[in-house]
Amino acid sequence: KTVAIVGCPFRGGQPKLGVDKGPIHLVEAGLVDQLKELGWNVKFDGHHQFEEISAADDPPIGKLKNPRLVSKVCESVAKVVGGHAENGELPLTLGGDHSLAMGTISGTLKAHPDACVVWIDAHADINTAETTDSGNIHGMPVSFLIGIGEKVSEFAWVKPALKTNRIVYIGLRDIDAGEKRILRENNIKAFSMHHVDKYGIGKVVEMALDHVNPNRDLPIHLSFDVDALDPSVAPSTGTPVRGGLSFREGHYICEAIWETGLLAALDIMEVNPSLADGEGVAQTVAVGCSLARSALGETLL
Ligand SMILES: N/C(=N\O)NCCC[NH3+]
Ligand SMILES: [Mn+2]
Ligand SMILES: [Mn+2]
Ligand SMILES: [Mn+2]
């Protein structure tokens, strides 16, 4: 089985410097060899070099920031991830900010149109051009993927290929008012940290999969934003929110998804190695690597 590592040094979906250095830190922490150790054939054709679009050539569209750059990068990521998936490989995308998921999930759905998405995050990332306050597109990818909100011509390539009953969230605890309304109006299933406390992570993952993959026969795209984890576990990330998943809860999700045998694609997003102190950076990078290993079968006996 081949895992194709797609390094995406990209930060255009949000304002903080450094998240584009996530991929190089994850790879330099030994991720390739770690996955080979697990028996994977690892394909790593280097970190993708994205063509820059200068700020002068990419003024905001409404509130959206760096719209042309984010769109172009995500479109190219969609082609790369889709290509690997169509090759029968498992794309592992290393971010970079979470706007990239517009590309990764578009790519997965091209190769696996019936795939479901398990979105692990403190945030819903489902703002539309109307509801966004910040205009940071890493808070919006899901709205484009399900095809809601006013059309933005620069993003015309994003097909509304994700059905609202094929995505489920785990870890939510910082949702904008507009996003809450969107989740409700679209009947999108979301397990917040409240549910994790109430039912325990085992039951939550079971309920989440029962919702999006009731017969356990659909490919799964796992999109993991490391800020889903408690900041004490993954401090070096752009939008930390207290009261997150424990180290084990985060890894349990990855292990349980692997155990289904249905994992088709994986994203490890929002590792920003320039925010915490040395120890915090090393800790966050290490947890990114261990989440990937857990999702790819490490702890299965
Ligand atoms: N890390 C973020 N999303 O996962 N930030 C954007 C969310 C703010 N509503
Ligand atoms: Mn590639
Ligand atoms: Mn996110
Ligand atoms: Mn987040």
Side-chain angles (χ1 to χ4, degrees):
K1 193 78 172 110
T2 298
V3 59
I5 294 180
V6 183
C8 290
F10 183 65
R11 60 175 166 85
Q14 58 78 62
K16 293 184 180 175
L17 300 179
V19 70
D20 52 322
K21 299 286 181 290
I24 190 84
H25 277 78
L26 289 162
V27 168
E28 285 187 350
L31 184 58
V32 172
D33 287 340
Q34 292 165 18
L35 297 179
K36 285 180 178 168
E37 277 296 297
L38 296 183
W40 285 92
N41 173 40
V42 183
K43 211 184 203 181
F44 175 48
D45 47 11
H47 300 292
H48 290 269
Q49 299 309 319
F50 301 112
E51 189 198 320
E52 288 291 313
I53 299 181
S54 71
D57 299 336
D58 194 11
I61 297 172
K63 286 190 173 170
L64 303 193
K65 292 173 180 149
N66 312 320
R68 297 162 194 78
L69 175 66
V70 173
S71 175
K72 205 168 59 53
V73 165
C74 285
E75 189 169 18
S76 81
V77 167
K79 292 190 180 93
V80 168
V81 167
H84 287 305
E86 274 163 352
N87 271 353
E89 298 156 358
L90 196 158
L92 163 54
T93 300
L94 306 178
D97 74 66
H98 218 170
S99 65
L100 289 163
M102 237 183 302
T104 64
I105 294 172
S106 294
T108 297
L109 288 170
K110 187 137 178 344
H112 306 288
D114 58 351
C116 63
V117 174
V118 179
W119 192 284
I120 312 302
D121 206 322
H123 313 95
D125 295 356
I126 198 167
N127 276 299
T128 63
E130 295 100 345
T131 66
T132 181
D133 291 330
S134 64
N136 297 326
I137 299 180
H138 77 150
M140 306 175 65
V142 179
S143 77
F144 286 102
L145 289 165
I146 61 178
I148 58 170
E150 98 199 14
K151 297 296 158 259
V152 181
S153 59
E154 280 68 17
F155 290 88
W157 66 271
V158 188
K159 300 303 163 224
L162 180 60
K163 292 204 283 293
T164 51
N165 67 348
R166 288 280 170 83
I167 180 168
V168 64
Y169 291 95
I170 300 175
L172 298 187
R173 56 190 184 278
D174 178 11
I175 314 174
D176 303 340
E179 293 181 301
K180 281 185 182 163
R181 192 173 56 251
I182 291 169
L183 292 173
R184 225 182 7 258
E185 285 171 356
N186 292 278
N187 298 311
I188 294 176
K189 194 80 176 170
F191 293 95
S192 66
M193 289 309 298
H194 177 83
H195 297 105
V196 173
D197 294 337
K198 181 172 182 177
Y199 299 112
I201 196 64
K203 187 69 188 150
V204 163
V205 174
E206 187 188 340
M207 292 188 285
L209 290 176
D210 286 350
H211 180 78
V212 288
N213 210 333
N215 304 319
R216 302 293 192 276
D217 58 352
L218 302 177
I220 299 172
H221 182 120
L222 175 60
S223 198
F224 206 119
D225 181 331
V226 295
D227 70 32
L229 299 167
D230 189 81
S232 64
V233 176
S236 212
T237 188
T239 42
V241 185
R242 289 184 306 173
L245 297 168
S246 69
F247 182 94
R248 274 303 312 155
E249 287 167 337
H251 287 77
Y252 177 85
I253 294 168
C254 295
E255 292 158 4
I257 298 280
W258 172 256
E259 265 185 328
T260 65
L262 296 165
L263 184 71
L266 173 62
D267 307 331
I268 302 287
M269 314 307 267
E270 301 279 359
V271 171
N272 183 333
S274 73
L275 296 177
D277 63 13
E279 191 203 329
V281 171
Q283 185 188 2
T284 306
V285 170
V287 86
C289 290
S290 64
L291 287 170
R293 295 197 306 271
S294 289
L296 295 171
E298 176 177 59
T299 30
L300 209 64
L301 302 176

